[in-house]
mmCIF file of all heavy atoms in Angstrom:
data_model
loop_
_atom_site.group_PDB
_atom_site.id
_atom_site.type_symbol
_atom_site.label_atom_id
_atom_site.label_comp_id
_atom_site.label_asym_id
_atom_site.label_seq_id
_atom_site.Cartn_x
_atom_site.Cartn_y
_atom_site.Cartn_z
ATOM 1 N N ALA A 1 -0.107 -3.343 -5.856
ATOM 2 C CA ALA A 1 -0.767 -2.039 -5.750
ATOM 3 C C ALA A 1 -0.646 -1.477 -4.339
ATOM 4 O O ALA A 1 -0.420 -0.273 -4.162
ATOM 5 C CB ALA A 1 -2.235 -2.156 -6.152
ATOM 6 N N ALA A 2 -0.766 -2.326 -3.330
ATOM 7 C CA ALA A 2 -0.631 -1.862 -1.943
ATOM 8 C C ALA A 2 0.783 -1.344 -1.681
ATOM 9 O O ALA A 2 0.966 -0.306 -1.029
ATOM 10 C CB ALA A 2 -0.986 -2.982 -0.973
ATOM 11 N N GLY A 3 1.767 -2.044 -2.191
ATOM 12 C CA GLY A 3 3.150 -1.569 -2.049
ATOM 13 C C GLY A 3 3.359 -0.242 -2.739
ATOM 14 O O GLY A 3 4.014 0.660 -2.202
ATOM 15 N N GLY A 4 2.802 -0.107 -3.929
ATOM 16 C CA GLY A 4 2.911 1.164 -4.654
ATOM 17 C C GLY A 4 2.239 2.300 -3.916
ATOM 18 O O GLY A 4 2.741 3.428 -3.897
ATOM 19 N N LEU A 5 1.110 2.000 -3.279
ATOM 20 C CA LEU A 5 0.416 3.034 -2.504
ATOM 21 C C LEU A 5 1.259 3.488 -1.312
ATOM 22 O O LEU A 5 1.351 4.688 -1.031
ATOM 23 C CB LEU A 5 -0.938 2.515 -2.036
ATOM 24 C CG LEU A 5 -1.795 3.492 -1.239
ATOM 25 C CD1 LEU A 5 -2.134 4.717 -2.083
ATOM 26 C CD2 LEU A 5 -3.055 2.805 -0.735
ATOM 27 N N VAL A 6 1.901 2.551 -0.634
ATOM 28 C CA VAL A 6 2.778 2.912 0.496
ATOM 29 C C VAL A 6 3.928 3.784 0.004
ATOM 30 O O VAL A 6 4.253 4.808 0.617
ATOM 31 C CB VAL A 6 3.304 1.646 1.208
ATOM 32 C CG1 VAL A 6 4.405 1.983 2.200
ATOM 33 C CG2 VAL A 6 2.168 0.928 1.920
ATOM 34 N N TRP A 7 4.542 3.405 -1.102
ATOM 35 C CA TRP A 7 5.648 4.202 -1.643
ATOM 36 C C TRP A 7 5.177 5.589 -2.046
ATOM 37 O O TRP A 7 5.868 6.578 -1.795
ATOM 38 C CB TRP A 7 6.271 3.512 -2.843
ATOM 39 C CG TRP A 7 7.009 2.263 -2.499
ATOM 40 C CD1 TRP A 7 7.400 1.842 -1.266
ATOM 41 C CD2 TRP A 7 7.439 1.257 -3.411
ATOM 42 N NE1 TRP A 7 8.046 0.641 -1.359
ATOM 43 C CE2 TRP A 7 8.083 0.258 -2.662
ATOM 44 C CE3 TRP A 7 7.337 1.097 -4.782
ATOM 45 C CZ2 TRP A 7 8.634 -0.873 -3.254
ATOM 46 C CZ3 TRP A 7 7.879 -0.025 -5.369
ATOM 47 C CH2 TRP A 7 8.532 -0.997 -4.607
ATOM 48 N N LEU A 8 4.018 5.665 -2.650
ATOM 49 C CA LEU A 8 3.452 6.949 -3.059
ATOM 50 C C LEU A 8 3.222 7.841 -1.842
ATOM 51 O O LEU A 8 3.599 9.020 -1.836
ATOM 52 C CB LEU A 8 2.148 6.730 -3.817
ATOM 53 C CG LEU A 8 1.369 7.963 -4.249
ATOM 54 C CD1 LEU A 8 2.133 8.707 -5.331
ATOM 55 C CD2 LEU A 8 -0.004 7.575 -4.754
ATOM 56 N N LEU A 9 2.615 7.289 -0.804
ATOM 57 C CA LEU A 9 2.333 8.078 0.393
ATOM 58 C C LEU A 9 3.611 8.497 1.109
ATOM 59 O O LEU A 9 3.699 9.600 1.644
ATOM 60 C CB LEU A 9 1.420 7.292 1.335
ATOM 61 C CG LEU A 9 0.003 7.049 0.805
ATOM 62 C CD1 LEU A 9 -0.781 6.164 1.770
ATOM 63 C CD2 LEU A 9 -0.716 8.347 0.558
ATOM 64 N N GLN A 10 4.610 7.624 1.128
ATOM 65 C CA GLN A 10 5.877 8.004 1.746
ATOM 66 C C GLN A 10 6.548 9.122 0.963
ATOM 67 O O GLN A 10 7.111 10.047 1.545
ATOM 68 C CB GLN A 10 6.815 6.802 1.845
ATOM 69 C CG GLN A 10 6.435 5.860 2.953
ATOM 70 C CD GLN A 10 7.370 4.681 3.055
ATOM 71 O OE1 GLN A 10 7.875 4.194 2.055
ATOM 72 N NE2 GLN A 10 7.586 4.209 4.264
ATOM 73 N N GLY A 11 6.496 9.049 -0.352
ATOM 74 C CA GLY A 11 7.078 10.106 -1.171
ATOM 75 C C GLY A 11 6.384 11.434 -0.978
ATOM 76 O O GLY A 11 7.000 12.494 -1.056
ATOM 77 N N LEU A 12 5.069 11.385 -0.713
ATOM 78 C CA LEU A 12 4.309 12.611 -0.468
ATOM 79 C C LEU A 12 4.448 13.106 0.968
ATOM 80 O O LEU A 12 3.898 14.142 1.316
ATOM 81 C CB LEU A 12 2.827 12.374 -0.775
ATOM 82 C CG LEU A 12 2.484 12.180 -2.252
ATOM 83 C CD1 LEU A 12 1.022 11.779 -2.390
ATOM 84 C CD2 LEU A 12 2.775 13.437 -3.039
ATOM 85 N N ASN A 13 5.147 12.349 1.800
ATOM 86 C CA ASN A 13 5.368 12.695 3.211
ATOM 87 C C ASN A 13 4.054 12.811 3.986
ATOM 88 O O ASN A 13 3.861 13.728 4.787
ATOM 89 C CB ASN A 13 6.179 13.984 3.324
ATOM 90 C CG ASN A 13 6.837 14.133 4.689
ATOM 91 O OD1 ASN A 13 6.967 13.171 5.424
ATOM 92 N ND2 ASN A 13 7.245 15.353 5.010
ATOM 93 N N VAL A 14 3.145 11.873 3.735
ATOM 94 C CA VAL A 14 1.873 11.837 4.451
ATOM 95 C C VAL A 14 2.143 11.426 5.895
ATOM 96 O O VAL A 14 2.964 10.545 6.156
ATOM 97 C CB VAL A 14 0.895 10.861 3.754
ATOM 98 C CG1 VAL A 14 -0.389 10.730 4.523
ATOM 99 C CG2 VAL A 14 0.628 11.328 2.343
ATOM 100 N N ALA A 15 1.446 12.043 6.822
ATOM 101 C CA ALA A 15 1.743 11.874 8.248
ATOM 102 C C ALA A 15 1.631 10.427 8.732
ATOM 103 O O ALA A 15 2.417 9.989 9.564
ATOM 104 C CB ALA A 15 0.819 12.761 9.076
ATOM 105 N N PHE A 16 0.662 9.661 8.244
ATOM 106 C CA PHE A 16 0.472 8.315 8.763
ATOM 107 C C PHE A 16 1.290 7.252 8.016
ATOM 108 O O PHE A 16 1.251 6.084 8.378
ATOM 109 C CB PHE A 16 -1.009 7.917 8.758
ATOM 110 C CG PHE A 16 -1.645 7.957 7.392
ATOM 111 C CD1 PHE A 16 -1.554 6.890 6.539
ATOM 112 C CD2 PHE A 16 -2.342 9.078 6.989
ATOM 113 C CE1 PHE A 16 -2.136 6.923 5.280
ATOM 114 C CE2 PHE A 16 -2.942 9.125 5.743
ATOM 115 C CZ PHE A 16 -2.834 8.042 4.890
ATOM 116 N N ALA A 17 2.036 7.634 6.991
ATOM 117 C CA ALA A 17 2.878 6.677 6.273
ATOM 118 C C ALA A 17 4.100 6.345 7.134
ATOM 119 O O ALA A 17 4.611 7.204 7.852
ATOM 120 C CB ALA A 17 3.325 7.248 4.939
ATOM 121 N N PRO A 18 4.571 5.102 7.075
ATOM 122 C CA PRO A 18 5.755 4.735 7.852
ATOM 123 C C PRO A 18 6.957 5.594 7.463
ATOM 124 O O PRO A 18 7.139 5.917 6.296
ATOM 125 C CB PRO A 18 6.000 3.271 7.473
ATOM 126 C CG PRO A 18 4.746 2.796 6.844
ATOM 127 C CD PRO A 18 4.043 3.986 6.301
ATOM 128 N N LYS A 19 7.772 5.967 8.424
ATOM 129 C CA LYS A 19 8.942 6.806 8.161
ATOM 130 C C LYS A 19 10.093 5.937 7.667
ATOM 131 O O LYS A 19 10.342 4.859 8.188
ATOM 132 C CB LYS A 19 9.380 7.543 9.432
ATOM 133 C CG LYS A 19 8.314 8.443 10.015
ATOM 134 C CD LYS A 19 7.984 9.569 9.080
ATOM 135 C CE LYS A 19 6.939 10.472 9.715
ATOM 136 N NZ LYS A 19 6.222 11.247 8.762
ATOM 137 N N SER A 20 10.776 6.413 6.634
ATOM 138 C CA SER A 20 11.929 5.704 6.097
ATOM 139 C C SER A 20 12.756 6.672 5.268
ATOM 140 O O SER A 20 12.457 7.867 5.213
ATOM 141 C CB SER A 20 11.488 4.516 5.243
ATOM 142 O OG SER A 20 11.010 4.960 3.994
ATOM 143 N N PHE A 21 13.765 6.148 4.591
ATOM 144 C CA PHE A 21 14.597 6.993 3.733
ATOM 145 C C PHE A 21 13.809 7.542 2.545
ATOM 146 O O PHE A 21 14.242 8.488 1.898
ATOM 147 C CB PHE A 21 15.815 6.202 3.236
ATOM 148 C CG PHE A 21 15.473 5.069 2.306
ATOM 149 C CD1 PHE A 21 15.468 5.258 0.934
ATOM 150 C CD2 PHE A 21 15.140 3.817 2.810
ATOM 151 C CE1 PHE A 21 15.144 4.216 0.075
ATOM 152 C CE2 PHE A 21 14.820 2.773 1.965
ATOM 153 C CZ PHE A 21 14.823 2.966 0.589
ATOM 154 N N MET A 22 12.645 6.963 2.265
ATOM 155 C CA MET A 22 11.823 7.401 1.135
ATOM 156 C C MET A 22 10.931 8.593 1.491
ATOM 157 O O MET A 22 10.379 9.235 0.607
ATOM 158 C CB MET A 22 10.935 6.254 0.653
ATOM 159 C CG MET A 22 11.701 5.079 0.113
ATOM 160 S SD MET A 22 10.633 3.801 -0.552
ATOM 161 C CE MET A 22 10.093 2.994 0.929
ATOM 162 N N THR A 23 10.791 8.887 2.767
ATOM 163 C CA THR A 23 9.868 9.918 3.212
ATOM 164 C C THR A 23 10.260 11.280 2.652
ATOM 165 O O THR A 23 11.379 11.746 2.833
ATOM 166 C CB THR A 23 9.837 9.975 4.755
ATOM 167 O OG1 THR A 23 9.485 8.689 5.244
ATOM 168 C CG2 THR A 23 8.836 10.991 5.251
ATOM 169 N N GLY A 24 9.320 11.905 1.948
ATOM 170 C CA GLY A 24 9.531 13.237 1.407
ATOM 171 C C GLY A 24 10.345 13.277 0.128
ATOM 172 O O GLY A 24 10.636 14.362 -0.372
ATOM 173 N N ASP A 25 10.710 12.137 -0.443
ATOM 174 C CA ASP A 25 11.495 12.089 -1.667
ATOM 175 C C ASP A 25 10.549 11.955 -2.858
ATOM 176 O O ASP A 25 9.840 10.961 -2.997
ATOM 177 C CB ASP A 25 12.467 10.904 -1.606
ATOM 178 C CG ASP A 25 13.450 10.869 -2.755
ATOM 179 O OD1 ASP A 25 13.278 11.645 -3.721
ATOM 180 O OD2 ASP A 25 14.386 10.057 -2.692
ATOM 181 N N ARG A 26 10.529 12.949 -3.727
ATOM 182 C CA ARG A 26 9.583 12.974 -4.849
ATOM 183 C C ARG A 26 9.816 11.845 -5.851
ATOM 184 O O ARG A 26 8.932 11.495 -6.617
ATOM 185 C CB ARG A 26 9.650 14.316 -5.575
ATOM 186 C CG ARG A 26 9.210 15.471 -4.717
ATOM 187 C CD ARG A 26 7.751 15.352 -4.415
ATOM 188 N NE ARG A 26 7.344 16.476 -3.565
ATOM 189 C CZ ARG A 26 6.199 16.557 -2.976
ATOM 190 N NH1 ARG A 26 5.326 15.604 -3.113
ATOM 191 N NH2 ARG A 26 5.899 17.591 -2.220
ATOM 192 N N THR A 27 10.999 11.253 -5.863
ATOM 193 C CA THR A 27 11.254 10.114 -6.745
ATOM 194 C C THR A 27 10.293 8.980 -6.426
ATOM 195 O O THR A 27 9.793 8.301 -7.324
ATOM 196 C CB THR A 27 12.712 9.632 -6.579
ATOM 197 O OG1 THR A 27 13.590 10.716 -6.841
ATOM 198 C CG2 THR A 27 13.018 8.479 -7.513
ATOM 199 N N TRP A 28 10.013 8.784 -5.143
ATOM 200 C CA TRP A 28 9.137 7.689 -4.724
ATOM 201 C C TRP A 28 7.676 7.972 -5.034
ATOM 202 O O TRP A 28 6.871 7.042 -5.090
ATOM 203 C CB TRP A 28 9.355 7.361 -3.253
ATOM 204 C CG TRP A 28 10.696 6.737 -3.075
ATOM 205 C CD1 TRP A 28 11.822 7.333 -2.612
ATOM 206 C CD2 TRP A 28 11.069 5.405 -3.442
ATOM 207 N NE1 TRP A 28 12.871 6.451 -2.657
ATOM 208 C CE2 TRP A 28 12.437 5.259 -3.157
ATOM 209 C CE3 TRP A 28 10.372 4.324 -3.979
ATOM 210 C CZ2 TRP A 28 13.117 4.073 -3.389
ATOM 211 C CZ3 TRP A 28 11.056 3.150 -4.209
ATOM 212 C CH2 TRP A 28 12.409 3.023 -3.918
ATOM 213 N N VAL A 29 7.335 9.229 -5.251
ATOM 214 C CA VAL A 29 5.974 9.543 -5.695
ATOM 215 C C VAL A 29 5.763 8.946 -7.085
ATOM 216 O O VAL A 29 4.759 8.274 -7.346
ATOM 217 C CB VAL A 29 5.732 11.074 -5.719
ATOM 218 C CG1 VAL A 29 4.393 11.401 -6.342
ATOM 219 C CG2 VAL A 29 5.834 11.651 -4.317
ATOM 220 N N PHE A 30 6.720 9.161 -7.978
ATOM 221 C CA PHE A 30 6.623 8.625 -9.333
ATOM 222 C C PHE A 30 6.673 7.094 -9.332
ATOM 223 O O PHE A 30 5.838 6.436 -9.964
ATOM 224 C CB PHE A 30 7.752 9.196 -10.205
ATOM 225 C CG PHE A 30 7.786 8.606 -11.583
ATOM 226 C CD1 PHE A 30 6.844 8.967 -12.528
ATOM 227 C CD2 PHE A 30 8.749 7.681 -11.920
ATOM 228 C CE1 PHE A 30 6.864 8.413 -13.799
ATOM 229 C CE2 PHE A 30 8.777 7.126 -13.180
ATOM 230 C CZ PHE A 30 7.838 7.487 -14.122
ATOM 231 N N ILE A 31 7.654 6.529 -8.642
ATOM 232 C CA ILE A 31 7.791 5.067 -8.598
ATOM 233 C C ILE A 31 6.541 4.436 -7.988
ATOM 234 O O ILE A 31 6.039 3.422 -8.483
ATOM 235 C CB ILE A 31 9.057 4.665 -7.812
ATOM 236 C CG1 ILE A 31 10.309 5.120 -8.567
ATOM 237 C CG2 ILE A 31 9.097 3.162 -7.562
ATOM 238 C CD1 ILE A 31 11.595 4.986 -7.775
ATOM 239 N N GLY A 32 6.027 5.013 -6.922
ATOM 240 C CA GLY A 32 4.830 4.485 -6.276
ATOM 241 C C GLY A 32 3.606 4.572 -7.167
ATOM 242 O O GLY A 32 2.802 3.637 -7.225
ATOM 243 N N ALA A 33 3.461 5.680 -7.889
ATOM 244 C CA ALA A 33 2.308 5.839 -8.775
ATOM 245 C C ALA A 33 2.344 4.820 -9.910
ATOM 246 O O ALA A 33 1.324 4.194 -10.237
ATOM 247 C CB ALA A 33 2.271 7.256 -9.335
ATOM 248 N N VAL A 34 3.510 4.618 -10.498
ATOM 249 C CA VAL A 34 3.645 3.634 -11.579
ATOM 250 C C VAL A 34 3.367 2.230 -11.049
ATOM 251 O O VAL A 34 2.641 1.449 -11.674
ATOM 252 C CB VAL A 34 5.047 3.723 -12.228
ATOM 253 C CG1 VAL A 34 5.295 2.559 -13.167
ATOM 254 C CG2 VAL A 34 5.211 5.051 -12.952
ATOM 255 N N THR A 35 3.912 1.900 -9.891
ATOM 256 C CA THR A 35 3.703 0.579 -9.299
ATOM 257 C C THR A 35 2.231 0.364 -8.956
ATOM 258 O O THR A 35 1.692 -0.728 -9.167
ATOM 259 C CB THR A 35 4.571 0.414 -8.041
ATOM 260 O OG1 THR A 35 5.938 0.680 -8.380
ATOM 261 C CG2 THR A 35 4.465 -0.982 -7.467
ATOM 262 N N LEU A 36 1.579 1.386 -8.447
ATOM 263 C CA LEU A 36 0.157 1.298 -8.124
ATOM 264 C C LEU A 36 -0.673 1.005 -9.375
ATOM 265 O O LEU A 36 -1.534 0.117 -9.371
ATOM 266 C CB LEU A 36 -0.308 2.595 -7.459
ATOM 267 C CG LEU A 36 -1.789 2.715 -7.113
ATOM 268 C CD1 LEU A 36 -2.188 1.663 -6.091
ATOM 269 C CD2 LEU A 36 -2.083 4.104 -6.582
ATOM 270 N N VAL A 37 -0.403 1.722 -10.455
ATOM 271 C CA VAL A 37 -1.150 1.519 -11.705
ATOM 272 C C VAL A 37 -0.891 0.129 -12.278
ATOM 273 O O VAL A 37 -1.826 -0.562 -12.712
ATOM 274 C CB VAL A 37 -0.799 2.626 -12.727
ATOM 275 C CG1 VAL A 37 -1.344 2.297 -14.105
ATOM 276 C CG2 VAL A 37 -1.308 3.970 -12.247
ATOM 277 N N VAL A 38 0.353 -0.314 -12.256
ATOM 278 C CA VAL A 38 0.677 -1.658 -12.764
ATOM 279 C C VAL A 38 -0.020 -2.724 -11.920
ATOM 280 O O VAL A 38 -0.580 -3.679 -12.453
ATOM 281 C CB VAL A 38 2.204 -1.871 -12.795
ATOM 282 C CG1 VAL A 38 2.557 -3.329 -13.054
ATOM 283 C CG2 VAL A 38 2.845 -0.982 -13.849
ATOM 284 N N GLY A 39 0.003 -2.562 -10.600
ATOM 285 C CA GLY A 39 -0.667 -3.519 -9.728
ATOM 286 C C GLY A 39 -2.161 -3.584 -9.975
ATOM 287 O O GLY A 39 -2.761 -4.667 -10.000
#
């Protein structure tokens, strides 16, 4: 769930989320949300 939350926040381009290739990519919003719910 923690990993999914990080992916979700990176996809949403939240300021305090670590910067990576996932930053601002809406695909990671979906993947992160699903991972968070499964966790």
Side-chain angles (χ1 to χ4, degrees):
L5 181 62
V6 169
W7 291 346
L8 176 69
L9 293 175
Q10 284 181 326
L12 291 173
N13 200 18
V14 176
F16 59 85
K19 301 295 182 202
S20 76
F21 67 93
M22 296 184 281
T23 303
D25 187 350
R26 296 293 179 190
T27 303
W28 291 102
V29 173
F30 175 74
I31 294 170
V34 170
T35 305
L36 177 63
V37 169
V38 169

